[in-house]
Every structure is written in C-alpha cells, then in structure tokens.
C-alpha cells in the first residue's frame, strides 16, 4: 500500500489504474480506525479492483467546542491496519491540501441535512458534504463506501451524489458492534472503564423500541417512550437526542407505516455516542 499526501499524487495513482481499466472504490475516513472501518474496506475490496482510503480529520465538520483538537490521530497505526486489510492507496492530506488558499466552496444539501444532528450541530453536514464532494472529485471512484452508524450522513451523501449526477455508487455497510452490542466508534476510546460498561445500554434501548414496534405498536410517540424508559435504566447515560424519522427523507413520522430510522445520541461523561436502527415498513 502506498501513502500519498497531495492531490496531484492521488490523481496520478488513480489515473494510472483507470487507464488499465480498473474499478476504483473510495472509503473516506477520519482515521482512528477500528473494525467498523475495516468492514468498509472489505466491502470496497469486493466492489472494485483498487481501494483508496482517505484519512483526514476534517475541521469543517467540527463545531466550536467539539472534539477536533482531541480527536484521536495515529497515522502509522492506521496505515498498518489498512495495509493488512488490503487497501491499495492511503490518501492522508494536510488541511492546506484539502482546502488550499482561495478555497471558497461550501456544499449544502438541503432537507436531509437540516433536522436531527444537522439541527443540533449547525454546519456539521455542510462540512461533511463539502469534504466528501471534494474527495469524490479528486478520486472519481466507481463506488464510495460509508457506514450505517452515521445514518444521516449516508442520506446526505446519497442526496448529494444523486443531485449532482455523480457517476458513483454509494454503498452503506451495516454497523459493526462489540459482543455486548456497543457500536464501534473512534470515540469509544474516550470512555473510562465504568462508562464503557454502561455504554451498551444505548443499543439495548434501541432494541427495546424496535421490539415494541415488532409486537404491534405503530405510534411513534409510544415507541419513543419505550426507548426513553430503557435509557433511564442506566443512570450513567444522559439522553442528548432521539429521533424517529422516515428512513429516506429523515423527516419525523407519527405512525410507523414505512421503514423508519430510530437514531439517538447519549452523553457518557464527556463523550457523546450515537447509534441507530432501521425497522418497520
Ligand atoms: O464518517 C466520517 O468519518 C466522516 O464524516 C467522513 C465521511 C470521512 C467525512 O469527513
């Protein structure tokens, strides 16, 4: 696996493959890689002959007071994991390469980006859409792979690709979990041992809500109530946000009569964790 840090080197490597007729897959990441990311690389390998992984902690998607500064960074360890996972090229640019002097574009995907996490983290999805658009423009991949754990991000990227007519297939890979159900996340590294023990209560609460729906409950308010009560069983978890929305439009639903996304964020000490389930329909 080769590592490059400039847009020019990235383009050269990718064009050489394309001239040979290779299909190319892109896995955008912010590093601090775990098995969830490696599942994305695995999916990318199945989808294309060459796999490019980008590693860039994107300042544009962090709000003031968020964890941009303390976001875990270990390029060498990440490169080693990607080499073992069979990636072909690692693109790890500095900020000035992603956003060179004069960079003036912001991509705003209306609708799907505006509720839920978009409302609570103003500017977050503009930052995501801008960096993803730039990465898609640099690599021009046949396939780009994202994780279901960031469900709203997936909806934003799909809308972006569809609206701009980008010739890329967006693939979404199911969330990878620890054996106790905790969704893998780079931010799990912040948890103390006690917080780590409490963290799977988030997934259990999502499952409880899904179960009550599967047993016949169609009213969103009732399903949300079951979720909230289940969260309260673990005093360390502080519910930050929960949404029950149409799985495609990300608009709130009152009745579960189509596939819905139940997405939640909790605080455990200083750490904010998110998770979600799709069910119904
Ligand atoms: O999911 C992430 O890690 C980031 O939001 C992404 C897609 C790499 C854009 O910075």
């Amino acid at each position: 696996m080769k590592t490059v840090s400039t847009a020019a080197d990235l383009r050269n490597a990718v064009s050489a493959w394309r001239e040979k007729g290779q299909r190319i897959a892109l896995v955008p990441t912010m590093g601090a890689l775990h098995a969830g990311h490696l599942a994305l690389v695995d999916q990318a390998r199945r989808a294309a002959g060459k796999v490019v992984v980008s590693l860039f902690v994107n300042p544009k998607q962090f709000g003031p007071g968020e964890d941009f500064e303390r976001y875990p960074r270990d390029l060498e360890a990440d490169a080693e994991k990607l080499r073992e996972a069979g990636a072909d090229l690692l693109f790890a640019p500095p900020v000035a390469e992603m956003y060179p002097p004069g960079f003036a574009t912001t991509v705003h995907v209306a609708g799907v980006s505006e509720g839920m996490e978009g409302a609570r983290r103003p500017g977050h999805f503009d930052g995501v859409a801008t960096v993803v658009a730039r990465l898609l423009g640099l690599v021009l991949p046949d396939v780009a792979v994202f994780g279901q754990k960031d469900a709203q991000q997936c909806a934003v990227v799909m809308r972006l690709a569809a609206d701009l007519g980008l010739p890329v297939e967006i693939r979404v890979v199911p969330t990878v979990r620890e054996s106790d159900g905790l969704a893998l996340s780079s931010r799990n590294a912040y948890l103390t041992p006690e917080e780590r023990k409490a963290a799977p209560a988030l997934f259990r609460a999502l499952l409880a809500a899904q179960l009550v729906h599967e047993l016949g409950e169609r009213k969103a308010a009732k399903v949300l109530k079951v979720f909230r009560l289940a969260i309260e069983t673990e005093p360390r978890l502080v519910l930050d946000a929960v949404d029950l929305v149409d799985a495609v439009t990300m608009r709130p639903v009152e009745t579960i009569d189509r596939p819905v996304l139940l997405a939640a964020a909790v605080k455990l000490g200083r750490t904010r964790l998110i998770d979600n389930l799709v069910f119904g329909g």
Side-chain angles (χ1 to χ4, degrees):
M1 185 189 73
K2 212 173 144 187
T3 301
V4 295
S5 60
T6 66
D9 287 347
L10 172 66
R11 275 190 190 284
N12 287 340
V14 170
S15 333
W17 289 332
R18 195 166 294 106
E19 273 163 28
K20 290 189 186 133
Q22 294 275 8
R23 265 169 72 78
I24 292 157
L26 170 67
V27 182
T29 81
M30 297 203 302
L33 303 179
H34 50 64
H37 295 106
L38 302 182
L40 306 185
V41 175
D42 189 53
Q43 177 63 235
R45 273 164 48 93
R46 288 164 205 265
K50 294 289 176 190
V51 174
V52 179
V53 178
S54 63
L55 193 166
F56 178 63
V57 184
N58 173 30
K60 288 188 188 286
Q61 70 187 76
F62 289 80
E66 291 188 357
D67 56 347
F68 175 68
E69 300 297 341
R70 71 173 183 136
Y71 200 83
R73 291 164 171 88
D74 189 344
L75 180 59
E76 270 182 30
D78 285 342
E80 191 48 41
K81 286 178 193 162
L82 292 172
R83 201 169 289 121
E84 277 169 23
D88 298 284
L89 185 69
L90 170 58
F91 175 51
V95 174
E97 192 68 25
M98 279 307 277
Y99 304 122
F103 188 95
T105 299
T106 298
V107 180
H108 177 71
V109 180
V112 287
S113 80
E114 287 168 351
M116 306 165 67
E117 287 293 272
R120 293 183 286 268
R121 302 180 65 191
H124 170 67
F125 287 118
D126 287 359
V128 170
T130 302
V131 79
V132 168
R134 173 132 171 86
L135 287 167
L136 292 176
L138 288 173
V139 178
L140 301 174
D142 299 280
V143 179
V145 187
F146 295 84
Q148 168 65 23
K149 183 167 160 288
D150 295 300
Q152 192 176 8
Q153 168 170 284
C154 293
V156 169
V157 170
M158 284 196 261
R159 190 74 259 166
L160 162 80
D163 287 357
L164 299 184
L166 303 179
V168 59
E169 180 198 342
I170 305 298
R171 287 207 189 170
V172 177
V173 172
T175 303
V176 179
R177 300 182 180 279
E178 302 279 7
S179 56
D180 59 9
L182 176 65
L184 296 193
S185 162
S186 307
R187 291 185 170 104
N188 293 351
Y190 302 150
L191 299 173
T192 65
E194 287 307 307
E195 290 166 352
R196 171 63 190 82
K197 256 189 235 156
L202 171 56
F203 182 53
R204 287 200 299 274
L206 291 169
L207 286 176
Q210 179 182 30
L211 181 65
V212 82
H213 166 67
E214 283 169 1
L215 293 174
E217 185 55 69
R218 294 282 177 276
K219 289 210 175 79
K222 294 239 170 100
V223 170
L224 284 167
K225 188 168 177 195
V226 168
F227 173 80
R228 286 197 179 92
L229 287 173
I231 287 287
E232 282 168 17
T233 62
E234 174 45 75
R236 280 199 174 79
L237 287 195
V238 177
L239 183 60
D240 192 41
V242 58
D243 298 280
L244 191 75
V245 296
D246 179 298
V248 177
T249 64
M250 303 283 125
R251 292 225 179 91
V253 298
E254 284 183 6
T255 306
I256 303 175
D257 53 5
R258 69 203 98 157
V260 293
L261 171 75
L262 176 61
V266 294
K267 286 212 173 124
L268 254 171
R270 290 172 68 203
T271 307
R272 187 173 188 269
L273 298 180
I274 60 167
D275 200 355
N276 67 76
L277 279 180
V278 174
F279 54 83

